[in-house]
Amino acid sequence: MLEYTDRHARYLFRVMSRHALLYTEMVTTGALLHGKPARWLDYSDCEHPLALQLGGSDPSELAACVRLAAQWRYDEVNLNVGCPSDRVQNGRFGACLMAQPDRVADCVRAMREAADLPVTVKTRIGIDHQDSYEALVAFIATVADGGCDTFIIHARKAWLSGLNPKQNREIPPLRYETVYRLKRDFPGLAIIINGGLNDLDQAKSQLAYVDGVMLGRAAYHNAYLLSHVDSVFYGEHSEAISRAEVISRYQAYVNEELERGTPLRHMTRHLSGLVQGVPGARRFRRYLSENVHGSGASAAVISQALDLLRSAATASAVS
C-alpha cells in the first residue's frame, strides 16, 4: 500500500472503525535511519491500534527501527516479505526474502530483542518456482523459530520477474486452501489471510478457517465498507456512520492540518474511495481535483464537493 495508507488516510479510516488494526504503508529501514523519521512515524493518537510495516533485510537496521517504533508508541511492527516490486527487490527485501528463510528468522529475532513489541511477518505463499507447499511450510517453520507467531499471508505466489506489482496482485491464482492448510498444520500460530477479498461478507467467511483477515486495496478504493467493520467483526450494534458525517469529521481534521502547513491535496485524495458507487461520485472527485491546488484552497472545497454529492443523491431519489 505504498503511497496509499499514509497518516491522513488512516485518520479517515479511523473515523469509520474504532477497532480495526491499521497498518502504515511500507517504510524502508533506510528512510527511517537516514532520513527524518518523524516524516514517516508521526500519526494522530486516534489511529491506535496501529502497526508499522517495515521493509528491510539487515537485522541490526530493523532492530534500530523497532526501537524507533517503540519510541513512537506503535502497537505492532510488521516485516514485509511479500512486496514483489523491482525497487524492493533491488533493495534485497520484500518477497525475494522468501528465498532466505534463515535471514528472515534472524531479522525477526533481532526485532523481537530490540523492544517489547509484537513482531509479525507479511508474506506470500511462494515465489517463482519455489511455490510448493513444502517450501512454504519450511519457510514458516524457520521464521516461527525466530520468534514470529503471527503471519499475514497473501494467498498468491509472486513472480519476481515478468510481472509488475499490479499483475502480481491479479495474475497468480488465489490459493486460499493453501492458507487454510497452513493454519491446520500450525495451530499454534496466528494466520491472517489477505488477497482478493473485496467485501466484508467475503472477509467474514474466512474466519471459519483462519484467525483474521487483512483488507488492502478494497478498503482504500471502497473505503466506506469500513463503516460496517465494527458491527460485522466486533459485535457493535450502533448504526453505521453516514458518508456525510465521515466527511464532516474528516474536514475538521483537514482544517487542523492546514494550519500546520499540510497541502490540501495530500488529504483530499483519500476521499475518492469513500464515495465509490454513489450517485454524483464522479462530480465529487472532479470538483476536488480541480479546486484543491490553489494557494487559497481551504477545507471549504470539501463542503462544496459534498453539496454536489447531496444534489446528485436528491436527483437520483426523485428520478
Side-chain angles (χ1 to χ4, degrees):
M1 299 298 290
L2 286 168
E3 299 181 356
Y4 284 93
T5 53
D6 63 17
R7 63 190 182 91
H8 310 306
R10 298 192 306 266
Y11 188 98
L12 178 65
F13 297 160
R14 187 56 76 209
V15 170
M16 291 178 280
S17 171
R18 297 192 303 122
H19 300 294
L21 174 59
L22 302 180
Y23 284 75
T24 68
E25 58 190 312
M26 184 178 67
V27 183
T28 67
T29 53
L32 292 184
L33 300 179
H34 307 299
K36 296 180 179 180
R39 182 256 184 264
W40 302 101
L41 297 178
D42 282 353
Y43 59 88
S44 300
D45 283 342
C46 71
E47 292 176 45
H48 290 290
L50 178 63
L52 171 65
Q53 186 174 104
L54 291 174
S57 60
D58 181 275
S60 63
E61 291 182 352
L62 284 164
C65 290
V66 170
R67 287 189 285 272
L68 286 173
Q71 181 182 338
W72 257 262
R73 300 185 303 108
Y74 276 83
D75 299 296
E76 173 187 313
V77 179
N78 177 260
L79 178 61
N80 188 303
V81 190
C83 182
S85 76
D86 290 340
R87 183 175 67 174
V88 166
Q89 289 183 60
N90 291 337
R92 301 307 301 163
F93 56 92
C96 65
L97 286 176
M98 288 197 74
Q100 302 178 65
D102 290 327
R103 173 174 282 274
V104 178
D106 288 342
C107 289
V108 168
R109 193 173 293 110
M111 294 166 74
R112 287 287 304 273
E113 292 173 353
D116 186 21
L117 278 177
V119 174
T120 65
V121 169
K122 186 175 189 293
T123 188
R124 294 270 184 146
I125 59 173
I127 52 171
D128 298 333
H129 296 291
Q130 182 184 314
D131 65 346
S132 68
Y133 183 69
E134 291 72 23
L136 178 60
V137 165
F139 175 83
I140 296 295
T142 299
V143 177
D145 284 345
C148 180
D149 59 12
T150 301
F151 291 83
I152 302 162
I153 301 179
H154 187 147
R156 286 186 175 94
K157 66 180 289 183
W159 286 104
L160 300 183
S161 59
L163 296 182
N164 62 38
K166 182 177 186 296
Q167 292 170 323
N168 262 307
R169 294 192 300 270
E170 299 171 349
I171 293 177
L174 286 160
R175 289 159 50 189
Y176 291 144
E177 179 54 42
T178 297
V179 185
Y180 306 158
R181 183 180 176 187
L182 204 61
K183 177 58 188 177
R184 294 194 297 267
D185 290 344
F186 291 91
L189 298 178
I191 302 296
I192 316 298
I193 199 166
N194 170 243
L197 300 168
N198 295 314
D199 61 55
L200 298 188
D201 288 337
Q202 282 184 315
K204 189 173 184 180
S205 70
Q206 299 296 320
L207 298 183
Y209 310 101
V210 293
D211 300 295
V213 179
M214 172 184 275
L215 296 179
R217 280 164 176 78
Y220 186 86
H221 294 299
N222 186 16
Y224 190 63
L225 66 80
L226 292 173
S227 66
H228 298 282
V229 162
D230 290 353
S231 60
V232 171
F233 290 96
Y234 297 97
E236 292 202 352
H237 301 295
S238 57
E239 187 175 344
I241 187 172
S242 69
R243 284 183 173 86
E245 180 62 20
V246 172
I247 293 172
S248 176
R249 294 188 190 181
Y250 188 62
Q251 189 171 356
Y253 166 80
V254 168
N255 277 320
E256 294 175 359
E257 286 295 314
L258 286 172
E259 291 181 1
R260 298 188 178 99
T262 304
L264 181 60
R265 65 184 182 278
H266 290 182
M267 297 174 282
T268 55
R269 69 188 184 94
H270 300 303
L271 289 170
S272 291
L274 186 65
V275 298
Q276 177 68 28
V278 174
R282 182 175 297 179
R283 292 175 65 192
F284 176 90
R285 296 185 185 110
R286 184 171 64 244
Y287 188 87
L288 287 180
S289 67
E290 291 175 351
N291 291 278
V292 298
H293 300 285
S295 59
S298 71
V301 171
I302 300 174
S303 296
Q304 292 152 6
L306 180 58
D307 287 341
L308 292 174
L309 200 67
R310 286 174 170 145
S311 296
T314 301
S316 177
V318 170
S319 63

